[in-house]
């Protein structure tokens, strides 16, 4: 029996887009799940491994991009819910000013 694939989409509102710190948070969270998880900046792809920091950063998704996720595996639904929640929470960086982030290594 083939595993069912789950999908989700969310609007990227982070002011600098999917750059270093958001990419690290996204990939770290994705790696906590055993499912295969892919990310795309367009509904039809190309799809990239959401657990690869190099590939996620290379996507260079700017603010306003709709991020598309798809996952297959035993915890696919939970993984997608967590990733969508992270993006909706602005990567838990609300209230952190850009200048403060720059000093932190962005």
């Amino acid at each position: 029996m083939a595993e069912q694939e789950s999908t989700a989409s969310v609007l990227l509102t982070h002011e600098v887009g999917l750059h270093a710190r958001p990419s690290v948070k996204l990939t770290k969270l994705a790696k906590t799940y055993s499912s295969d998880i892919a990310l795309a900046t367009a509904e039809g792809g190309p799809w990239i491994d959401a657990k690869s920091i190099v590939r996620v950063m290379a996507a260079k998704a700017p603010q306003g991009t709709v991020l598309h996720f798809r996952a297959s595996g035993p915890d696919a639904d939970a993984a997608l819910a967590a990733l969508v929640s992270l993006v909706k929470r602005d990567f838990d960086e609300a209230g952190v000013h850009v200048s403060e982030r720059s000093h932190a290594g962005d």
Side-chain angles (χ1 to χ4, degrees), residues 25-35 37 50-51 79 83:
K25 289 183 176 183
L26 189 145
T27 56
K28 279 186 175 180
L29 180 59
K31 288 177 182 178
T32 64
Y33 295 91
S34 63
S35 294
I37 305 168
K51 297 179 182 180
L83 290 166

Side-chain angles (χ1 to χ4, degrees), residues 9-12 40-43 62 64-68:
S9 299
V10 62
L11 178 65
L12 177 62
T41 56
E43 193 169 351
T65 300
V66 175
L67 298 178
H68 302 273

Side-chain angles (χ1 to χ4, degrees), residues 3-9 35-39 47 68-81 83-84:
E3 289 186 20
Q4 184 173 354
E5 184 176 274
S6 298
T7 61
S9 299
S35 294
D36 292 326
I37 305 168
L39 165 71
W47 293 92
H68 302 273
F69 294 98
R70 69 180 183 193
S72 59
D75 53 4
D77 289 337
L80 294 186
L83 290 166
V84 166

Side-chain angles (χ1 to χ4, degrees), residues 21 97-106:
R21 190 184 343 256
H97 299 290
V98 172
S99 61
E100 293 172 7
R101 290 186 209 147
S102 295
H103 294 296
D106 258 356

